[in-house]
Amino acid sequence: MNVSARLRGRIVRAALIAVLIASALLSLGVGHYAMPLPEVFSVLWGTATGTLDARGQLSQSLLFQVRLPRIVLAMLVGAALSASGASYQGILKNPLVAPDILGVSNGASLGAVIAIFFGLGSIATQGLAFAFGLLTVFLVVVASKSIGRGNGTIIVMILCGVVMSSLFSAFVSLLTYLADSDTQLPEITYWIMGSFARTSSPQSIAALFLIFCAGSIPLLCVRWRINALSFGDEEASSMGVNVKRVRGIIVCCATLLTSASVSYCGVVGWVGLIIPHMVRLLSGPDYQSLLPNAMIGGAAFMVLVDICARACPTALPLSVVTAIIGAPLFLWVLFKGRKDWL
Amino acid sequence: MKGPAGEASEVVPCMSVRDASVGYGSKRVLEHFNVDIVPGSVVCLLGPNGVGKTTLFKSILGLQPMLGGSVTLDGEDALKMPRRDFARKVAYVPQAHQAPFAFYVRDVVAVGRSSHVGMFSRPGAADYEIVEEVLDELGIGKLAGRVYTELSGGERQMVLIARALAQQPEYLFMDEPTSNLDFGNQVSLVRLAKELAHDRGLGVVMTTHNPNHLFMCEGTGVLILPHSRYLYGTADEILTDGNMREAYGIRVDIMDVDTGVGYEKTCVPVL
């Protein structure tokens, strides 16, 4: 990394952190009970100094028990999806890959829909979604290994992902079709389109945080190796990279991150695709700066999306908002970007 | 190094391929192949399309399984070496290609340091210094801050050679390095291969489709013929009318050309 590239990476990182903090503060004030920023600050100040009146305490409990957990959830999910999207794009040598390329989202959806269909409760819904997400990728990897006779190539893996994804999506459709249209269907629909509304207890956020660390820390550690892998397996291997091991770590971590995100807030599209792409435009494709910047950018984007979703009179599903913001943004990125990146 | 009985058991640095069989699955393309690659010399691998040059290349480099035979690197079994140790001795230069992402040239060359940087670590200042040195040595220092995907084919090929040299290898394998280059760059590349061998002491192996490159680089040549046969020797030994007819199925005349400062041999196809 040359000095100017490194500097540029740092400036972009600082700017993204500023956006993240600003959007988080903004998000604290937005909702059914709107709080202007000065009030948010005075409540935060009052909490820090221990001087709060009755009204302030009400606001405090709203901020810390409702909005803050939700903001943290949005940040974790945005960072997780963005990190796994960026990593998959590197190892699959394709900038147009989304984090659920290997079928995590549809697998997790099936798990959640099964739980909703049989009325197993919200914790089981999350657990089953998480387990099914991991299971899908496991099946994809096993299938591609046996098809490729031990040398599962990338194209076989992607094809297996597409197949498994379609299969699970068919089961989801089947259960949706059979579901009770008064009670289960809204919940299924809401789940498939993504929402931060349900799971925001501090314990569940803490659990997500742990999974997030387990997935993202190894990714951050091996991130420079992704540069080598993006030149293809043979070249990476000839340069001394243990391709199987590094790719294994990346697939495991990215699957863990995506699966956890989907199990917490349903399927949220676009984030893992466009954020790494935009960060690449801002600070270059070197994974040393790309991965951390994409995580911060993803977190900020998700908080902003949540603000939009909540600011609307009826809370919108996340995927609707990410698509409405993401699709035009992506077109603009393509329009501005270097054509040979595609 | 001396053995217990005091007799010399020094290992002569050399990469030896012995009785190699290469191919895909059960289909053997080339069998019983032997070659020695000695530091400080160039080996040119010639042969018509489809005789297994690329397969041989990849098998020797351990990028695809060898169907039989052995590769030893300074006395050690190269096929059982960890990739990391192998990469510190043997570097591979692929044909100039497009990268999926618009890396800076400096970052592309830095990737060549992979075998010297820990799995969970990143290249440090010393690694980037080596990157700059290698770029300067190849005379492409000014490309360091350029974007790889925006370079010409010739420049990209040089960057890939720089990346391989950043591995600080003892042996350098180049897969048809001249195939995407213009006439002038082809000659420069052959000269570079010669310099890398003679000045830096590298064992250079390159495949090429132009037999004249073998005359130019003054090394040993391997001419792979159809049906798993091959010839090994100097340019004068293997580049004969008869051998060329057998390899390529065309008539080729070997001529001496007066360049004013001496005679150069060259292959001239007869239409």
Side-chain angles (χ1 to χ4, degrees):
Chain A
M1 212 185 325
N2 45 343
V3 178
S4 65
R6 190 177 300 177
L7 190 65
R8 194 170 171 170
R10 287 197 182 141
I11 292 171
V12 169
R13 187 168 313 172
L16 288 172
I17 290 174
V19 172
L20 176 63
I21 293 172
S23 52
L25 285 174
L26 188 65
S27 182
L28 281 174
V30 175
H32 283 306
Y33 177 77
M35 262 190 273
L37 265 186
E39 195 185 335
V40 171
F41 279 120
S42 79
V43 173
L44 291 179
W45 175 252
T47 311
T49 55
T51 54
L52 275 180
D53 52 16
R55 186 183 144 80
Q57 279 171 359
L58 199 71
S59 304
Q60 184 202 28
S61 69
L62 176 70
L63 285 188
F64 284 88
Q65 282 164 30
V66 181
R67 291 196 182 154
L68 196 61
R70 186 169 168 146
I71 292 169
V72 173
L73 176 64
M75 285 180 181
L76 290 176
V77 166
L81 290 175
S82 192
S84 63
S87 308
Y88 272 130
Q89 288 168 7
I91 61 169
L92 302 180
K93 300 178 280 182
N94 188 336
L96 297 178
V97 158
D100 54 2
I101 180 89
L102 297 183
V104 187
S105 291
N106 283 336
S109 296
L110 180 61
V113 171
I114 287 175
I116 295 169
F117 189 80
F118 292 105
L120 301 180
S122 69
I123 291 176
T125 307
Q126 270 186 33
L128 222 54
F130 185 56
F132 267 67
L134 298 183
L135 180 74
T136 312
V137 174
F138 177 74
L139 289 177
V140 166
V141 170
V142 168
S144 64
K145 283 212 162 150
S146 56
I147 291 171
R149 294 191 188 83
N151 292 308
T153 54
I154 281 167
I155 189 76
V156 176
M157 203 151 103
I158 294 176
L159 286 176
C160 288
V162 169
V163 169
M164 214 64 85
S165 224
S166 311
L167 181 67
F168 282 23
S169 142
F171 288 135
V172 169
S173 300
L174 178 68
L175 287 178
T176 312
Y177 179 70
L178 295 175
D180 185 303
S181 59
D182 289 331
T183 56
Q184 295 169 334
L185 198 56
E187 203 180 339
I188 290 178
T189 313
Y190 210 54
W191 203 90
I192 288 175
M193 295 205 280
S195 154
F196 288 137
R198 278 169 292 107
T199 47
S200 297
S201 80
Q203 291 85 351
S204 72
I205 302 282
L208 178 63
F209 181 72
L210 289 180
I211 301 175
F212 175 77
C213 290
S216 58
I217 290 172
L219 273 189
L220 285 170
C221 287
V222 299
R223 69 185 190 270
W224 181 64
R225 286 277 191 270
I226 305 179
N227 283 357
L229 287 181
S230 74
F231 285 96
D233 290 2
E234 281 185 355
E235 281 179 50
S237 177
S238 79
M239 289 183 281
V241 176
N242 188 333
V243 173
K244 276 186 186 167
R245 187 178 302 164
V246 176
R247 200 164 61 196
I249 290 175
I250 291 167
V251 169
C252 281
C253 292
T255 304
L256 197 65
L257 289 174
T258 315
S259 200
S261 305
V262 179
S263 72
Y264 270 76
C265 60
V267 182
V268 184
W270 284 97
V271 185
L273 176 64
I274 55 165
I275 297 300
H277 213 80
M278 294 186 66
V279 171
R280 215 174 265 129
L281 274 183
L282 291 172
S283 58
D286 182 357
Y287 273 84
Q288 288 182 78
S289 63
L290 175 62
L291 198 61
N293 287 358
M295 289 171 76
I296 300 165
F301 180 75
M302 216 58 235
V303 173
L304 288 171
V305 164
D306 186 43
I307 291 174
C308 296
R310 273 191 291 150
C312 286
T314 56
L316 289 175
L318 291 174
S319 276
V320 173
V321 183
T322 53
I324 290 173
I325 299 177
L329 204 62
F330 196 61
L331 275 182
W332 177 77
V333 166
L334 292 185
F335 185 71
K336 295 286 281 182
R338 300 169 201 268
K339 290 189 181 62
D340 52 8
W341 286 7
L342 298 177
Chain B
M1 203 202 281
K2 296 267 180 184
E7 72 190 88
S9 61
E10 192 174 325
V11 178
V12 181
C14 175
M15 189 168 180
S16 322
V17 179
R18 287 284 169 272
D19 197 27
S21 293
V22 301
Y24 289 92
S26 57
K27 188 180 185 302
R28 287 169 187 241
V29 185
L30 185 60
E31 287 183 291
H32 308 300
F33 182 85
N34 297 289
V35 72
D36 280 328
I37 300 143
V38 185
S41 68
V42 181
V43 176
C44 268
L45 205 57
L46 289 159
N49 290 329
V51 290
K53 288 194 301 294
T54 305
T55 314
L56 176 68
F57 228 63
K58 288 185 178 167
S59 304
I60 294 175
L61 290 167
L63 300 176
Q64 75 175 62
M66 196 111 129
L67 302 181
S70 69
V71 179
T72 51
L73 193 53
D74 304 347
E76 276 185 77
D77 185 348
L79 300 176
K80 291 205 178 93
M81 259 187 191
R83 288 308 309 179
R84 192 185 170 81
D85 297 349
F86 188 78
R88 287 181 182 191
K89 293 201 163 183
V90 184
Y92 165 60
V93 181
Q95 289 183 36
H97 52 46
Q98 273 296 358
F101 303 111
F103 289 111
Y104 286 111
V105 164
R106 190 179 273 117
D107 292 329
V108 173
V109 178
V111 168
R113 300 294 300 156
S114 290
S115 58
H116 298 265
V117 174
M119 169 118 145
F120 295 106
S121 153
R122 293 179 285 136
D127 294 300
Y128 283 105
E129 253 169 54
I130 291 169
V131 168
E132 303 291 335
E133 272 170 34
V134 167
L135 286 170
D136 285 338
E137 272 178 59
L138 292 180
I140 51 170
K142 63 183 189 312
L143 295 185
R146 296 268 305 278
V147 172
Y148 177 79
T149 44
E150 291 169 358
L151 301 180
S152 73
E155 289 170 325
R156 284 205 300 269
Q157 189 70 65
M158 290 303 286
V159 171
L160 292 177
I161 292 172
R163 189 182 71 180
L165 292 179
Q167 278 175 244
Q168 299 179 313
E170 291 162 23
Y171 302 90
L172 189 69
F173 281 66
M174 298 197 274
D175 189 12
E176 289 180 24
T178 55
S179 63
N180 291 312
L181 304 186
D182 68 39
F183 191 62
N185 276 327
Q186 288 192 19
V187 176
S188 308
L189 200 128
V190 175
R191 192 191 298 138
L192 175 67
K194 213 163 119 179
E195 283 169 7
L196 289 174
H198 297 167
D199 302 346
R200 291 181 63 134
L202 290 172
V204 178
V205 185
M206 59 185 264
T207 55
T208 171
H209 280 305
N210 188 341
N212 287 328
H213 292 161
L214 177 51
F215 283 123
M216 288 154 71
C217 69
E218 295 163 5
T220 40
V222 177
L223 177 63
I224 303 178
L225 304 169
H227 312 300
S228 213
R229 292 181 49 233
Y230 69 95
L231 303 162
Y232 179 81
T234 63
D236 293 331
E237 285 164 5
I238 64 170
L239 295 183
T240 64
D241 307 3
N243 291 340
M244 295 307 278
R245 178 186 294 275
E246 195 180 347
Y248 297 102
I250 53 165
R251 193 179 141 200
V252 176
D253 280 351
I254 314 294
M255 312 193 109
D256 283 311
V257 180
D258 187 356
T259 58
V261 288
Y263 284 93
E264 295 271 352
K265 281 200 166 185
T266 186
C267 291
V268 180
V270 182
L271 294 179

